């Protein structure tokens, strides 16, 4: 059985969060070979004729979709699954629609709010004049499109204390104003929870809390870019993942698990996702983001969660493949 792994083409000046996809591709290749597949690994071509030629000639059973950016731009992430759909070849992970809707954080937040999924308030350039905002809230700048905490540095993590100031900043940004928005800062705890698909449906993995160790009182407890990618930073070494025990805070864990499944169903997910939460000081969970096709390298949070649940690497990839092929005719 033949498989093509398509990953983002890496530009010469690619940052570490984009280079990580090469580790994902190598990991997927290793496991699929162990499972008996004939695997080739390629950067995703921006030329459709080349893509069509490669897929037609190789005739894969399915494609592993690890395309996170095209031409270095995260907003183009939905193009790869759309073209795989056009070529009528199954592919791993979420479909084109759920990928696009979840990657555009403003669309994702509106979908969640319409479905009754709690998500922090936000201020965007396209807000209607009739929109109301919570009183006394503080806001953080976030990128509309990019992943991996792109844009969340010390400057963006200085909170904005008024809606007026946020709107003025968006006006000052000019042409790039639609690339960023301000999201309400939820003071509290942070959780990243993985969900794995398969023939028996989605399964929520053990609940992982992100612990901010020894952070100064004045420092915001936020998972920013340095927390994930700058190995020389304070944030990288003091932002630690901890799994809650099965019997620890059962009421909170149940709330989080139910919201994970609700997100999976509302966005019509498949394969594997991660849901990022903040939990406020009185125990209310708020969904920050739904990450379709999250990083699946061996040292990433998703694989750590599946390992905690007792699954081997091969079992995890087998279940992702099950979700890929279950609708194949």
């Amino acid at each position: 059985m033949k498989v093509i792994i398509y990953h983002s083409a890496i530009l010469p000046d690619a940052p570490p969060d984009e280079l990580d996809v090469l580790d994902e591709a190598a990991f997927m290749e290793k496991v699929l070979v162990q499972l008996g597949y004939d695997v080739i690994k390629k950067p995703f071509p921006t030329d459709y004729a080349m893509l069509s030629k490669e897929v037609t000639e190789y005739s894969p059973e399915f494609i592993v979709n690890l395309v996170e950016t095209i031409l270095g731009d995260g907003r183009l992430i939905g193009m790869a699954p759309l073209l795989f759909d056009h070529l009528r070849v199954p592919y791993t992970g979420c479909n084109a629609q759920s990928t696009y809707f979840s990657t555009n954080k403003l669309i994702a937040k509106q979908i969640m709010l319409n479905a009754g999924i709690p998500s922090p308030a936000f201020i965007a350039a396209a807000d209607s004049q009739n929109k109301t905002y919570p009183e006394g809230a503080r806001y953080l700048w976030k990128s509309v499109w990019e992943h991996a905490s792109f844009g969340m540095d010390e400057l963006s993590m200085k909170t904005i204390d008024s809606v007026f100031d946020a709107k003025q900043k968006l006006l000052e940004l000019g042409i790039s104003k639609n690339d960023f928005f301000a999201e309400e800062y939820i003071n509290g705890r942070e959780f990243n929870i993985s969900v794995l698909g398969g023939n028996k449906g989605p399964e929520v993995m053990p609940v992982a809390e992100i612990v901010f160790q020894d952070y100064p009182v004045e420092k915001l407890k936020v998972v920013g870019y340095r927390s994930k990618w700058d190995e020389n930073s304070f944030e990288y070494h003091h932002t630690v993942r901890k799994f809650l025990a099965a019997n620890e805070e059962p009421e909170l864990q149940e709330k989080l698990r139910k919201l994970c499944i609700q997100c999976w169903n509302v966005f019509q997910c498949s394969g594997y996702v991660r849901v990022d939460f903040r939990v406020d000081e009185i125990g209310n969970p708020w969904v920050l983001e739904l990450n379709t096709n999250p990083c699946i390298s061996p040292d990433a949070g998703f694989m750590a969660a599946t390992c905690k649940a007792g699954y081997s690497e091969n079992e995890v990839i087998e279940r992702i493949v099950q979700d890929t092929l279950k609708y194949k005719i």
Side-chain angles (χ1 to χ4, degrees):
M1 294 180 289
K2 297 180 179 179
V3 177
I4 301 179
I5 298 174
Y6 276 118
H7 61 79
S8 309
I10 302 302
L11 301 177
D13 57 348
D17 57 289
E18 292 186 28
L19 292 171
D20 192 58
V21 77
L22 299 179
D23 294 332
E24 295 183 68
F27 169 67
M28 289 294 289
E29 180 181 34
K30 180 196 77 170
V31 175
L32 287 169
V33 167
Q34 290 174 354
L35 293 174
Y37 290 95
D38 184 3
V39 183
I40 61 171
K41 185 174 58 180
K42 288 178 172 289
F44 182 76
T46 54
D47 179 84
Y48 173 71
M50 182 180 296
L51 174 68
S52 179
K53 183 174 184 291
E54 290 177 354
V55 171
T56 301
E57 288 182 353
Y58 199 68
S59 188
E61 182 82 0
F62 61 91
I63 289 169
V64 173
N65 178 24
L66 298 179
V67 182
E68 299 173 353
T69 62
I70 296 176
L71 300 175
D73 192 342
R75 80 187 67 216
L76 301 179
I77 190 172
M79 285 183 60
L82 280 172
L83 290 174
F84 300 151
D85 284 336
H86 179 71
L87 291 167
R88 300 188 181 281
V89 180
Y91 51 90
T92 60
C94 291
N95 63 38
Q97 289 74 26
S98 58
T99 299
Y100 178 86
F101 290 150
S102 62
T103 302
N104 184 314
K105 298 182 184 71
L106 295 181
I107 293 177
K109 288 175 73 66
Q110 196 59 58
I111 290 173
M112 286 189 280
L113 292 172
N114 290 345
I117 298 171
S119 186
F122 64 96
I123 304 166
D127 284 350
S128 72
Q129 293 184 351
N130 298 324
K131 182 175 178 179
T132 58
Y133 307 91
E135 295 291 335
R138 293 190 294 164
Y139 296 86
L140 292 170
W141 288 113
K142 294 182 74 172
S143 169
V144 172
W145 289 100
E146 299 295 345
H147 66 299
S149 298
F150 174 86
M152 293 192 71
D153 54 20
E154 284 298 317
L155 179 62
S156 72
M157 290 195 291
K158 292 177 181 176
T159 58
I160 309 154
D161 294 323
S162 77
V163 174
F164 175 81
D165 289 342
K167 287 186 172 181
Q168 285 297 112
K169 179 63 175 178
L170 285 170
L171 289 173
E172 292 169 11
L173 288 171
I175 194 168
S176 64
K177 64 185 178 183
N178 292 313
D179 291 341
F180 290 89
F181 69 104
E183 182 178 68
E184 181 185 3
Y185 172 65
I186 304 295
N187 190 32
R189 302 160 69 186
E190 181 143 342
F191 294 84
N192 299 158
I193 304 177
S194 301
V195 185
L196 177 64
N199 285 339
K200 296 182 180 179
E203 179 184 357
V204 180
M205 298 293 105
V207 172
E209 180 173 5
I210 305 302
V211 180
F212 302 93
Q213 291 183 341
D214 302 321
Y215 265 52
V217 174
E218 70 278 4
K219 188 175 181 62
L220 289 179
K221 296 178 179 179
V222 175
V223 181
Y225 191 88
R226 285 202 291 270
S227 302
K228 295 181 179 180
W229 304 108
D230 185 354
E231 296 183 9
N232 297 316
S233 69
F234 169 89
E235 294 85 352
Y236 185 90
H237 293 284
H238 291 262
T239 307
V240 181
R241 181 190 310 114
K242 180 195 81 170
F243 289 101
L244 270 62
N247 60 352
E248 187 177 355
E249 300 185 79
E251 184 177 344
L252 174 60
Q253 289 205 54
E254 183 62 18
K255 287 180 183 178
L256 294 170
R257 290 175 184 277
K258 284 183 176 179
L259 285 170
C260 285
I261 296 300
Q262 190 177 1
C263 285
W264 178 284
N265 292 332
V266 166
F267 284 87
Q268 299 181 4
C269 296
S270 60
Y272 58 114
V273 305
R274 191 186 76 239
V275 188
D276 297 345
F277 292 90
R278 295 287 286 196
V279 174
D280 65 26
E281 293 171 313
I282 59 174
N284 296 317
W286 301 83
V287 177
L288 297 179
E289 297 178 19
L290 170 69
N291 293 275
T292 55
N293 305 1
C295 180
I296 201 168
S297 57
D299 59 349
F302 185 88
M303 293 306 299
T306 59
C307 178
K308 184 70 176 179
Y311 292 109
S312 69
E313 292 177 347
N314 287 21
E315 288 172 329
V316 172
I317 304 309
E318 281 183 309
R319 284 186 53 166
I320 292 172
V321 172
Q322 287 173 8
D323 248 12
T324 303
L325 299 178
K326 65 184 178 184
Y327 297 118
K328 185 176 180 182
I329 299 174

